[in-house]
Amino acid sequence: MKKIFEAYHKASAQQLKTALATVVALEGSSYRKPGVRMLISEDGKMTGAVSGGCVEKEVLRQAQSVFKDNIPKIMTYDGRYRLGCEGILYILIEPFSPSVSVVDNFQEILKGRKTFQVSAYYEKKDATNPLFGSMFTLGGTPQVFRDDFKPDSSLSIFKQNMSPCFQLFIIGAEHDAVQLSSFASKTGWEVTVVADVSEEKNISDFPGALDFISCLPEALETEHIDHQSAVILMTHSYVKDLKYLLRLSHTEPVYLGLLGPAKRREKLLNEFLERHPEVSDSFFDRIYGPSGLNIGAETPQEIAVAIIAEILSVVRDKEPMMLKNKIGRIHS
């Protein structure tokens, strides 16, 4: 949703109409599940995706009537004969023109890292209906995506709980951190790079980074590190890694990665425990080191892929395996 609102801001600045496409229902199997979204602007630019790339052209074509009439519609896309996915997608396409107050409230949600719910009202058939539409709820108050939309409970409702954006804190500023920042941001994560004050770096050195923090380990603010966060220590300095690890001892990220071999990890954790013996056992359960999956990674780019893959496996609670060895559907 964050990218959707960002794209809307750019389009509205150019006085372009926008339409929001949302997969609200699925029969069978598909590459993308209900809840995926795409914003289409009048000039044909698309942000996001509702499939692996095969449905978007048809959504763009169907959106033209929404631009013209400002009336939402449901389109169906039967992938059984065209995509080989054995599924039928039901896609809601609606005018997207949230008011200034709705945009401001959404920004408040992002800033406060709050969980919210998006609801879409529709019928499970090809249809055009001014009663179709979407909204999110903030403090029990509906925040509609267009001013003339009023929720109708007689329609089918797709509800989706939205968590805060997943964020990655990269502690370190060497070349491998640059690559990890770039790859992680392309995954859609919010990346914050933390560097020691001695590093002569800034945010422009890290493609895709949302924020750059230059500070001593003991001055690092950690209140934004939550269950929707991963942290990786990659300063290439044992002393700095230890100091940052001590600073992180009270945090609860879903993943805390340590760069370097197992022998270094054991030394680091032993000294950490000597200095902070009261730390909880659950803190160690979140530590992954050496960080990354064993895929033969050697270059900084490959190491970034291995680290991101491991973080995803932890977040999604999946045991990594080759898909050719998986029994059943790929996306089950």
Side-chain angles (χ1 to χ4, degrees):
M1 288 299 297
K2 178 184 176 182
K3 297 292 185 184
I4 296 292
F5 272 83
E6 288 176 351
Y8 168 72
H9 177 73
K10 293 178 181 178
S12 61
Q14 301 175 52
Q15 298 184 325
L16 293 171
K17 287 184 178 180
T18 56
L20 179 66
T22 305
V23 176
V24 291
L26 166 68
E27 291 180 2
S29 173
S30 175
Y31 170 69
R32 305 299 297 272
K33 304 298 181 185
V36 294
R37 295 175 177 82
M38 177 173 73
L39 191 76
I40 310 113
S41 60
E42 274 186 305
D43 61 358
K45 186 174 182 179
M46 295 178 281
T47 300
V50 293
S51 75
C54 304
V55 183
E56 281 67 18
K57 287 184 179 179
E58 179 63 16
V59 174
L60 177 61
R61 188 184 72 82
Q62 295 267 3
Q64 300 311 306
S65 66
V66 177
F67 289 134
K68 180 181 178 181
D69 303 328
N70 286 315
I71 301 176
K73 67 193 300 185
I74 285 286
M75 64 162 279
T76 60
Y77 195 95
D78 193 338
R80 294 174 298 178
Y81 306 108
R82 290 180 276 191
L83 299 178
C85 292
E86 302 179 358
I88 302 174
L89 295 173
Y90 295 85
I91 303 171
L92 169 64
I93 308 175
E94 60 184 303
F96 189 78
S97 55
S99 66
V100 173
S101 63
V102 170
V103 173
D104 289 344
N105 288 335
F106 183 75
Q107 293 303 320
E108 179 185 329
I109 287 175
L110 293 181
K111 186 176 180 181
R113 295 188 58 76
K114 300 175 183 178
T115 298
F116 63 100
Q117 187 178 77
V118 179
S119 301
Y121 295 74
Y122 69 100
E123 289 179 312
K124 202 173 179 182
K125 63 180 181 180
D126 283 300
T128 298
N129 191 329
L131 298 178
F132 294 167
S134 302
M135 67 176 192
F136 68 90
T137 305
L138 177 63
T141 303
Q143 307 288 317
V144 296
F145 289 165
R146 67 180 194 278
D147 288 338
D148 64 346
F149 173 64
K150 291 180 173 57
D152 183 347
S153 59
S154 68
L155 297 171
S156 297
I157 308 172
F158 168 70
K159 295 184 177 181
Q160 182 182 24
N161 292 322
M162 307 290 286
S163 299
C165 293
F166 191 81
Q167 54 185 356
L168 174 64
F169 290 84
I170 301 172
I171 301 180
E174 300 297 334
H175 181 60
D176 49 3
V178 175
Q179 299 302 320
L180 182 57
S181 174
S182 176
F183 280 63
S185 66
K186 291 174 182 176
T187 306
W189 299 348
E190 293 183 345
V191 178
T192 295
V193 177
V194 179
D196 188 86
V197 292
S198 61
E199 299 280 357
E200 296 181 355
K201 301 285 180 68
N202 57 59
I203 195 169
S204 65
D205 296 309
F206 298 90
L210 180 68
D211 196 10
F212 178 86
I213 300 171
S214 177
C215 69
L216 294 171
E218 54 270 22
L220 177 63
E221 296 181 358
T222 60
E223 63 269 17
H224 293 304
I225 299 176
D226 53 29
H227 294 293
Q228 279 288 106
S229 308
V231 181
I232 182 159
L233 287 172
M234 51 195 314
T235 68
H236 295 272
S237 164
Y238 177 87
V239 173
K240 290 178 182 177
D241 277 0
L242 178 59
K243 288 181 178 180
Y244 279 114
L245 190 61
L246 287 166
R247 182 61 179 167
L248 295 166
S249 61
H250 64 285
T251 64
E252 297 182 351
V254 68
Y255 176 100
L256 204 171
L258 304 176
L259 207 64
K263 185 176 180 180
R264 182 182 189 272
R265 175 201 64 204
E266 292 306 308
K267 181 182 178 183
L268 184 66
L269 294 182
N270 285 335
E271 188 167 350
F272 168 80
L273 195 55
E274 288 177 7
R275 298 194 184 197
H276 194 22
E278 68 275 16
V279 69
S280 66
D281 291 340
S282 62
F283 180 75
F284 291 100
D285 293 338
R286 292 188 287 272
I287 293 178
Y288 295 81
S291 184
L293 296 182
N294 182 20
I295 57 174
E298 295 181 356
T299 67
Q301 293 84 355
E302 292 170 350
I303 292 169
V305 171
I307 292 171
I308 290 173
E310 182 178 46
I311 294 173
L312 279 174
S313 72
V314 171
V315 171
R316 305 281 167 80
D317 193 24
K318 295 291 185 181
E319 188 68 29
M321 65 180 297
M322 291 185 179
L323 285 176
K324 73 173 185 178
N325 296 329
K326 188 177 188 295
I327 298 174
R329 293 177 174 177
I330 293 174
H331 302 296
S332 62

